[in-house]
Amino acid sequence: MKNSVTTPRKKYKKTEKISGMIMSAPAVLLLIGFLIIPIIYTVYYSFFTYQVMRPDSIVFSALDNYKKIFQDENFWLALRSTVYFTILVVPFQCILALALALLVSSKLKGVSIFRTMYFSPQVTSMVVIAILWTILYNSNVNTGLINAFLGSIGFGPIDFLNNPKTAMNAIIFMSAWQGAGYQMMIFLAGLNGIPQEQYEAASVDGAGKIAQFLYVTLPGLSNTIKYVLMITIIQAMKLFTQPYIMTKGGPQNSTKTLVYYIYEQGFQKGNFGYACAVASVFFLLVVIISMVVKKLTKTN
């Protein structure tokens, strides 16, 4: 009797396993084809001197490309710009997203309209948004809306995108505005997962709104905050579209990021082998930073 029950169960588990493998096969194949294999080829070509326009010029150069990286001043400038952008945009964007989520989760009238407004930049093409903000940042008071507003209150026009001191900060502000909607929705899901009874108990104990936020909301969102922090850091490290559309890496390389530098070396200058070496170093940096953040945010 025992064998008759066990056999159908084993067959069911085997069928379920095969079905799972079949279902996941397309995703696994896409992952291998568009992620794993490109990574392998990137590391492989990083050991060669390779000009894209001259396929016959490929020469094994061992670690020469990696040695060149540490002597390349432009690489360090791009790394500095990437780190600067990440350090500023991540807390700004996360705090803005959390504030929007708290506002949207409140019982204010017409909050659903605001939710749509806050999230709409996320579903709009970054290229379109970058072009729009380039116009907004225009130093001409007749075409630049922001400078027109500043002029109306007595301030002179600011050349946001052509000044090395303001160009990256302008991109940071725009990027935080554009990306906060996505993190807002994640925070909203986290807020909905906090039991209402905890707020009621805190209120009975005499806790005000600030105390409830510090001792109920933040602990309840701890896992959500870790996730949002991680994905925001990774997205910030991959900055490319905004500087490419708005500043072309300028002025004076102040907005040239690592991804932009990889694109410039590989596709504009044709130094494919060197671009692969920079991409390999960049990938390693992202992995290390992700592991460090995960370690720092890990709780017992």
Side-chain angles (χ1 to χ4, degrees):
M1 185 70 179
K2 184 178 180 180
N3 292 335
S4 63
V5 175
T6 306
T7 302
R9 186 175 297 173
K10 287 183 177 179
K11 289 183 178 180
Y12 173 77
K13 287 184 177 180
K14 186 176 181 180
T15 304
E16 188 179 44
K17 185 177 180 180
I18 294 172
S19 299
M21 292 174 66
I22 294 173
M23 294 287 187
S24 61
V28 172
L29 291 174
L30 289 172
L31 182 67
I32 293 173
F34 291 96
L35 184 63
I36 305 301
I37 293 177
I39 289 174
I40 294 173
Y41 269 96
T42 298
V43 175
Y44 172 76
Y45 279 114
S46 69
F47 297 103
F48 291 85
T49 300
Y50 181 27
Q51 293 289 330
V52 176
M53 302 305 294
R54 297 173 57 197
D56 59 333
S57 67
I58 184 168
V59 177
F60 180 72
S61 58
L63 298 176
D64 288 351
N65 286 327
Y66 291 96
K67 292 177 182 177
K68 181 181 176 181
I69 288 175
F70 294 101
Q71 300 169 355
D72 188 353
E73 183 180 350
N74 289 324
F75 168 81
W76 294 108
L77 287 173
L79 177 61
R80 186 177 66 180
S81 296
T82 302
V83 172
Y84 178 80
F85 176 84
T86 303
I87 289 175
L88 290 187
V89 81
V90 170
F92 182 28
Q93 187 169 321
C94 290
I95 292 171
L96 177 61
L98 180 57
L100 292 175
L102 291 170
L103 179 63
V104 170
S105 65
S106 62
K107 305 300 181 182
L108 297 176
K109 186 177 180 181
V111 74
S112 58
I113 299 175
F114 288 107
R115 181 183 306 180
T116 304
M117 291 173 58
Y118 297 146
F119 188 71
S120 58
Q122 186 62 39
V123 297
T124 306
S125 169
M126 176 57 79
V127 175
V128 174
I129 291 177
I131 293 173
L132 173 64
W133 277 83
T134 302
I135 297 172
L136 292 176
Y137 281 138
N138 196 310
S139 58
N140 190 329
V141 295
N142 295 320
T143 56
L145 184 61
I146 295 177
N147 274 308
F149 171 74
L150 292 175
S152 67
I153 58 176
F155 291 93
I158 300 174
D159 200 358
F160 290 101
L161 299 179
N162 293 315
N163 188 335
K165 296 181 179 180
T166 59
M168 183 58 84
N169 294 328
I171 291 177
I172 288 171
F173 182 83
M174 183 273 285
S175 300
W177 169 85
Q178 187 273 339
Y182 177 68
Q183 282 85 352
M184 177 195 72
M185 300 303 292
I186 299 175
F187 278 130
L188 272 176
L191 288 171
N192 292 332
I194 301 176
Q196 192 63 33
E197 291 80 6
Q198 294 184 12
Y199 290 101
E200 294 174 357
S203 180
V204 170
D205 290 339
K209 293 295 183 182
I210 297 178
Q212 290 179 26
F213 174 75
L214 293 176
Y215 299 107
V216 178
T217 303
L218 287 182
L221 288 175
S222 59
N223 291 328
T224 305
I225 292 173
K226 294 175 189 176
Y227 174 73
V228 170
L229 185 64
M230 182 69 72
I231 62 172
T232 307
I233 289 175
I234 294 173
Q235 289 297 324
M237 292 288 291
K238 297 190 299 181
L239 177 68
F240 172 75
T241 306
Q242 296 94 308
Y244 178 75
I245 297 295
M246 300 174 73
T247 62
K248 296 298 181 184
Q252 300 176 21
N253 293 329
S254 61
T255 60
K256 182 179 291 185
T257 61
L258 278 177
V259 176
Y260 189 97
Y261 187 59
I262 293 169
Y263 163 79
E264 181 184 64
Q265 290 295 321
F267 296 99
Q268 291 185 339
K269 297 184 178 180
N271 300 325
F272 192 74
Y274 183 63
C276 287
V278 178
S280 300
V281 172
F282 172 70
F283 175 75
L284 185 62
L285 285 173
V286 172
V287 171
I288 292 173
I289 291 172
S290 300
M291 293 175 64
V292 170
V293 172
K294 184 178 180 180
K295 185 71 175 179
L296 293 175
T297 57
K298 185 178 180 180
T299 54
N300 296 324

